[in-house]
Amino acid sequence: KAKTFYDAARVKSLREIGEFHFPKPRPVSPHGVVTPSSLVADLRKIGLRAGDIVCLHVGMKAMGRVVGGARTVVEAMFDAVSPGGTVMMATYSGDLSDPAEWRHPQVAAESIERVREDMLGYDPMLTPTRGVGSVAEYFRTYPGVIRSPHPQSSFAALGCHASLLVGEHPYDFRFGWKSPLGALVRLKGRVLMLGAPDDTASLFHLMRFNAEAPVVAKRAPVMVSGRCIWQDYRDVDYPADWFYAGMLHLRDTKIAHGGIVGLAYSTLF
């Protein structure tokens, strides 16, 4: 299916006319803000239930004013899938890559080796997230959360199935079947796009991997026995249009359904 549903012309045209824009949200709650209890109620209305295993992506700005901020989102999610549930989030650290590949800003050629030698290696406890939002950064430090060992594209999880999801994460093919995304599929998990844009749905990295994309060489710094080493690994490229195509397919086939959580139009599949 990954090889057949992608329609580049359709994706391009829909992006140009703004078809990916979500409907306007409902009026704000009677309190004028999103409260912890109202957020739990919304999550249950959209379809979350006790025992669910959920990969969560959050667009915090879309949710309106949430009392308690990131903490409220994390604890409301866990309440919505308890007892017996598990929440997983992407906790990427994409800046832990070869500085020779950096473009924004680009590193001067004569400085690349010096930057490599001076970089800090990946540490699941200490390495911050990059580019995945305030909720994911808060989540990775939440008590009881386990974070996977991949230096660039880790996931973190909290709950009954956390170790099954993120306990292992091979360097090679970081979004492949042996990754936390593969574990999510094997455990019959779900994905919730909580006000997050379509191009952040990490599960479609697995779809791209499944489409037999060309293999590329990558490297990242990791801490081993107290010292930083550069780890080589293999991967594939992940173009953003695959995300849009994936979400289109899920909506077309009614696998994904939407609803309002807080003030954010959200999608669950």
Side-chain angles (χ1 to χ4, degrees):
K1 290 181 180 179
K3 294 180 182 179
T4 58
F5 76 69
Y6 179 65
D7 183 341
R10 183 183 180 208
V11 169
K12 183 175 184 295
S13 65
L14 289 175
R15 291 178 70 180
E16 288 174 349
I17 66 175
E19 187 69 21
F20 289 111
H21 293 173
F22 292 126
K24 292 182 178 180
R26 66 179 182 187
V28 72
S29 71
H31 309 294
V33 291
V34 180
T35 66
S37 59
S38 72
L39 190 52
V40 173
D42 286 348
L43 290 168
R44 292 202 179 278
K45 285 178 184 176
I46 202 174
L48 289 186
R49 54 184 181 267
D52 274 350
I53 300 170
V54 185
C55 182
L56 173 67
H57 297 276
V58 181
M60 195 66 178
K61 290 181 180 179
M63 295 188 65
R65 185 174 180 181
V66 179
V67 177
R71 177 184 175 186
T72 292
V73 175
V74 169
E75 294 186 357
M77 273 294 302
F78 201 62
D79 285 349
V81 300
S82 294
T86 306
V87 178
M88 181 171 85
M89 294 194 75
T91 50
Y92 304 155
S93 45
D95 50 332
L96 294 189
S97 57
D98 191 340
E101 299 178 355
W102 296 354
R103 294 294 178 267
H104 305 288
Q106 188 170 351
V107 178
E110 62 273 16
S111 300
I112 289 175
E113 192 56 40
R114 180 167 56 83
V115 173
R116 281 197 194 109
E117 292 174 355
D118 208 29
M119 287 179 65
L120 298 173
Y122 176 71
D123 184 309
M125 295 294 293
L126 300 177
T127 300
T129 60
R130 181 175 185 268
V132 288
S134 60
V135 177
E137 174 60 19
Y138 175 82
F139 182 71
R140 76 167 182 88
T141 66
Y142 196 84
V145 165
I146 303 172
R147 191 179 185 186
S148 76
H150 199 282
Q152 195 173 55
S153 301
S154 64
F155 288 80
L158 174 67
C160 299
H161 296 88
S163 60
L164 292 176
L165 286 168
V166 302
E168 296 182 0
H169 195 168
Y171 294 137
D172 284 347
F173 307 114
R174 55 199 158 130
F175 299 118
W177 284 106
K178 295 182 180 180
S179 75
L181 295 177
L184 182 73
V185 173
R186 289 192 295 275
L187 292 170
K188 302 185 186 302
R190 311 176 85 182
V191 175
L192 175 60
M193 307 298 293
L194 191 57
D198 286 357
D199 62 358
T200 63
S202 60
L203 188 65
F204 295 111
H205 285 316
L206 176 63
M207 177 193 69
R208 173 66 174 172
F209 170 80
N210 210 35
E212 300 176 4
V215 175
V216 296
K218 309 285 284 185
R219 61 196 317 234
V222 297
M223 296 301 296
V224 177
S225 301
R227 54 188 293 266
C228 180
I229 67 168
W230 280 88
Q231 176 67 49
D232 295 317
Y233 64 96
R234 296 172 296 157
D235 210 345
V236 298
D237 286 327
Y238 303 98
D241 278 354
W242 279 78
F243 291 87
Y244 295 110
M247 292 304 295
L248 279 172
H249 178 68
L250 293 183
R251 292 188 183 112
D252 286 349
T253 56
K254 310 300 183 185
I255 293 172
H257 67 274
I260 301 293
V261 179
L263 294 184
Y265 188 86
S266 303
T267 304
L268 179 69
F269 62 92

